[in-house]
């Protein structure tokens, strides 16, 4: 029997009971958090399905391991294996700043067309955090993952290409740019905006959530961010007409209360979103946004509930999905067995949800919740929790796995 995932005609994954899932361990703390996460994910599957379902983990080289083994930082065989198996999970991969190699993470997202970066952010007590009511944050960010300034179309200051673009802008658009400028291109298209917004709306519909907010800077960037807003509304009205209601209608016809089984579709300027998620986080369920806004707001929200060590992430396309820790390689603590593995573990829960293994996903989340509540936590959290006890990364993994195995 095949142990590979296939897709049905609606692109829904069909998951065999014994499934092979590829993983990229990642650089820096990747090894530490991966070794802590696997026992937790295995314990959840075993507890949920008593041996009827199981994951067989298959390592793919990438990052430093990829370079050591194949001379490539991102071997084509690893990308092909994700394509073939449809789902993968990964730790962080290192990217040098400035000169040289493009981010491997961005390359994976672009090569596999993983167009939706999905970041659910919620609070796990007693994680130290900077706000009065972190528990009011329960927000999922849908960040467009393939275009905007992240499209990778950039010309170096004083290069021939930059000079030609600057000349074109001067001659054709009658605008002046300093001649020694670097240039980046910001493409935002209707097709890519609409498929992202459709995913965000479908997510809200499936989960019974009350609102989707289009976050944009369309007051300034009218034809890119402004059109993200316009095309987002078009998608909502064309393909979710029976599900959505506008903010105006909610206030004019329903006294400010969103009717049952409707999703309020609204939009906010990006800077206002940063203010409103701090002041009234309960106003947001799902935020859909272009790439750069999404990068900023998802990390800001993660910080609001206690940091990047906790928040999970998914990069999802129509045919493949890659689940990943949202933090970087943390070189300062790599190999010291002191990193917080929660982000990777909770990304595993998102992966189980994507596979329809919701029981295992829920066990992972409740196991992490109870392990954190026990106050035996990794160094990044222990100091900020009253009576917190510092444990190693691997020990935190074992505590969480045990809590799952003992559940019920
Ligand atoms: P970083 O997230 O690696 O580290 C920032 C700070 O947070 C450090 O003090 C680090 O010790 C701490 N930290 C991060 N994750 C932690 C965890 N799980 N537990 C405890 N503490 C944690 O960000 P930085 O330093 O900007 O990037 C380092 C490298 O990681 C760069 O090469 C960057 O390109 C890469 N990176 C990769 C990402 C990915 O693979 N998705 C995402 C972000 C950065």
């Amino acid at each position: 029997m095949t142990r590979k995932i296939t897709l049905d005609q609606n692109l829904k994954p069909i998951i065999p009971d014994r499934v092979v899932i590829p993983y990229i361990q990642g650089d820096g703390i990747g090894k530490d958090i991966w070794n802590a996460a696997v026992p937790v994910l295995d314990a959840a599957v075993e507890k949920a399905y008593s041996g009827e379902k199981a994951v067989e983990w298959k390592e793919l080289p990438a990052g430093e391991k990829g370079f050591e083994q194949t001379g490539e930082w991102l071997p084509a065989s690893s990308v092909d294996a994700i394509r073939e198996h449809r789902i993968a999970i990964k730790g962080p991969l290192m990217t040098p700043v400035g000169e040289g190699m493009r981010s491997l993470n961005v390359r994976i997202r672009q090569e596999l067309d993983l167009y939706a970066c999905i970041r659910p952010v919620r609070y796990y007590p007693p994680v130290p955090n900077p706000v009065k009511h972190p528990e009011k944050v329960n927000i999922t960010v849908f960040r467009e993952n393939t275009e905007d300034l992240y499209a990778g179309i950039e010309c170096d200051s004083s290069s021939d290409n930059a000079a030609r673009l600057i000349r074109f802008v001067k001659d054709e658009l009658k605008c002046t740019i300093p001649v020694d400028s670097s240039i980046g291109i910001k493409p935002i298209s209707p097709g890519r905006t609409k498929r992202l917004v459709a995913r965000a709306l479908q997510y809200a519909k499936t989960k019974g959530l009350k609102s989707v907010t289009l976050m944009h800077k369309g007051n300034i960037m009218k034809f890119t961010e402004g059109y993200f807003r316009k095309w987002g509304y078009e998608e909502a009205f064309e393909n979710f007409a029976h599900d959505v209601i506008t903010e105006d209608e909610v206030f004019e016809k329903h006294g400010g209360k969103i009717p049952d089984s409707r999703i309020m579709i609204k939009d906010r300027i990006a800077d206002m979103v940063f203010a409103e998620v701090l002041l009234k986080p309960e106003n947001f369920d799902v935020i859909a946004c272009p790439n750069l806004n999404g990068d900023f707001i998802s990390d800001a929200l993660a910080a609001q509930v206690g940091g990047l060590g906790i928040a999970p992430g998914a990069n999802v396309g129509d045919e493949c999905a890659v689940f990943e820790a949202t933090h970087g390689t943390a070189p300062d603590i790599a190999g010291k067995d002191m990193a917080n593995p929660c982000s990777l573990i909770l990304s595993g829960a998102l992966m189980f949800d994507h596979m329809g293994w919701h029981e295992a996903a829920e066990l992972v989340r409740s196991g992490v919740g109870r392990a954190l509540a026990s106050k035996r936590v990794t160094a990044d959290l222990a100091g900020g929790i009253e009576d917190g006890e510092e444990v190693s990364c691997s020990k935190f993994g074992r505590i969480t796995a045990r809590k799952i195995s003992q559940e019920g």
Side-chain angles (χ1 to χ4, degrees):
M1 204 181 78
T2 177
R3 291 171 296 131
K4 280 188 200 154
I5 296 168
T6 49
L7 301 178
D8 73 10
Q9 58 195 19
N10 299 317
L11 299 178
K12 195 166 174 279
I14 303 167
I15 314 287
D17 285 341
R18 311 198 85 73
V19 60
V20 176
I21 296 194
Y23 70 93
I24 292 169
Q25 199 172 66
D27 299 324
I29 55 172
K31 185 173 181 190
D32 296 345
I33 59 175
W34 177 256
N35 287 338
V38 167
V40 175
L41 302 180
D42 285 343
V45 173
E46 174 58 31
K47 181 75 183 176
Y49 309 115
S50 312
E52 303 256 305
K53 295 183 194 289
V55 175
E56 193 180 305
W57 304 103
K58 173 189 164 93
E59 181 161 14
L60 303 178
E64 284 168 347
K65 266 196 181 176
F67 192 73
E68 278 161 27
Q69 290 176 22
T70 68
E72 299 281 336
W73 293 94
L74 182 60
S77 57
S78 293
V79 178
D80 288 343
I82 301 175
R83 207 175 269 119
E84 182 187 340
H85 287 274
R86 308 282 182 192
I87 285 178
I89 181 164
K90 66 175 274 294
L93 292 170
M94 176 266 294
T95 308
V97 176
E99 298 280 316
M101 193 169 80
R102 269 192 81 200
S103 160
L104 302 182
N105 303 300
V106 174
R107 276 182 56 201
I108 290 173
R109 291 168 202 166
Q110 292 191 340
E111 288 186 27
L112 296 169
D113 196 23
L114 306 176
Y115 60 82
C117 176
I118 306 170
R119 298 265 187 98
V121 185
R122 55 167 274 202
Y123 179 59
Y124 285 93
V127 170
N129 68 87
V131 297
K132 282 189 188 146
H133 289 291
E135 73 287 351
K136 289 187 177 174
V137 177
N138 194 351
I139 302 174
T140 302
V141 178
F142 277 70
R143 162 188 172 192
E144 205 290 326
N145 229 355
T146 64
E147 53 183 3
D148 195 358
L149 288 166
Y150 283 63
I153 311 168
E154 290 197 307
C155 301
D156 197 351
S157 161
S158 306
S159 64
D160 284 351
N161 283 341
R164 277 155 60 193
L165 277 169
I166 290 166
R167 238 182 351 262
F168 173 84
V169 169
K170 183 160 183 269
D171 294 345
E172 304 294 326
L173 308 182
K174 312 297 176 212
C175 298
T176 306
I177 298 174
V179 288
D180 52 354
S181 301
S182 284
I183 302 281
I185 306 269
K186 180 181 173 79
I188 293 204
S189 64
R192 291 181 176 201
T193 297
K194 287 182 179 185
R195 66 182 181 172
L196 184 271
V197 172
R199 254 193 194 272
L201 284 162
Q202 189 57 49
Y203 177 89
K205 187 174 166 180
T206 306
K207 295 206 170 271
L209 301 174
K210 298 309 294 175
S211 75
V212 172
T213 304
L214 305 170
M215 174 191 185
H216 61 91
K217 193 70 188 162
N219 54 330
I220 306 296
M221 292 168 272
K222 295 184 191 302
F223 302 129
T224 50
E225 304 251 337
Y227 277 19
F228 178 89
R229 170 186 179 276
K230 173 173 116 90
W231 292 321
Y233 277 119
E234 278 176 18
E235 175 62 27
F237 299 140
E238 281 164 17
N239 292 320
F240 293 84
H242 299 297
D243 303 305
V244 295
I245 182 165
T246 63
E247 195 170 17
D248 282 350
E249 277 180 289
V250 167
F251 283 93
E252 282 162 16
K253 296 187 189 158
H254 301 276
K257 189 173 178 306
I258 303 167
D260 288 345
S261 71
R262 286 297 183 101
I263 303 162
M264 180 164 76
I265 177 89
K266 58 181 174 164
D267 74 279
R268 290 286 183 279
I269 303 283
D271 29 325
M272 273 313 299
V273 174
F274 280 91
E276 204 176 337
V277 293
L278 275 171
L279 298 168
K280 287 227 162 236
E282 63 275 24
N283 285 357
F284 298 92
D285 292 322
V286 173
I287 295 174
C289 50
N291 212 330
L292 184 62
N293 294 341
D295 196 359
F296 294 158
I297 193 66
S298 38
D299 281 9
L301 281 172
Q304 198 166 320
V305 296
L308 278 176
I310 308 276
N315 296 288
V316 178
D318 287 335
E319 303 198 349
C320 294
V322 176
F323 299 82
E324 67 175 353
T326 54
H327 52 74
T329 57
D332 47 335
I333 54 169
K336 295 184 181 165
D337 194 19
M338 61 190 287
N340 182 342
C342 286
S343 177
L344 186 63
I345 294 172
L346 292 169
S347 299
L350 290 183
M351 181 181 78
F352 289 147
D353 272 332
H354 183 81
M355 293 160 60
W357 293 14
H358 299 295
E359 302 80 3
E362 217 27 70
L363 280 167
V364 172
R365 279 188 283 267
S366 70
V368 167
R370 288 187 301 138
L372 291 168
S374 77
K375 301 186 178 180
R376 300 175 74 202
V377 292
T378 45
D380 55 319
L381 304 180
I385 297 175
E386 207 184 326
D387 304 326
E389 180 196 334
E390 182 182 324
V391 297
S392 65
C393 174
S394 50
K395 182 147 192 186
F396 182 84
R398 286 197 296 279
I399 291 170
T400 309
R402 203 162 48 240
K403 295 222 176 273
I404 291 171
S405 302
Q406 291 163 355
E407 178 112 337

